[in-house]
Amino acid sequence: MTGVLGLLDLMIAGAPVIIFCVWQLVSVNRAIANDRTAKDRPPPPDVVSPEGAGHAVGEHRLDDR
């Protein structure tokens, strides 16, 4: 009977933990892949300030003039 209770405990407590870990692994791998593809393509022209300062439009108060 104790073996059955151990398996029941593993299913109740262990299975959600394992599922959560697999979900996190897939999520992190997906984010890494998205970062790699985003790094390869140039930013859209309206994201970088036209003066070439390198910051996003609206990020600096001098962009509001």
Side-chain angles (χ1 to χ4, degrees):
M1 184 69 179
T2 58
V4 174
L5 291 177
L7 288 175
L8 182 64
D9 182 40
L10 182 64
M11 288 189 314
I12 292 172
V17 170
I18 292 172
I19 291 170
F20 178 74
C21 290
V22 170
W23 176 69
Q24 284 293 317
L25 182 65
V26 169
S27 176
V28 167
N29 285 338
R30 188 177 298 144
I32 290 171
N34 287 340
D35 286 345
R36 284 185 183 153
T37 58
K39 186 171 47 173
D40 293 340
R41 61 179 173 242
D46 60 339
V47 172
V48 179
S49 62
E51 292 85 22
H55 60 271
V57 173
E59 184 176 290
H60 197 271
R61 62 184 173 94
L62 294 178
D63 284 336
D64 296 335
R65 304 193 256 167

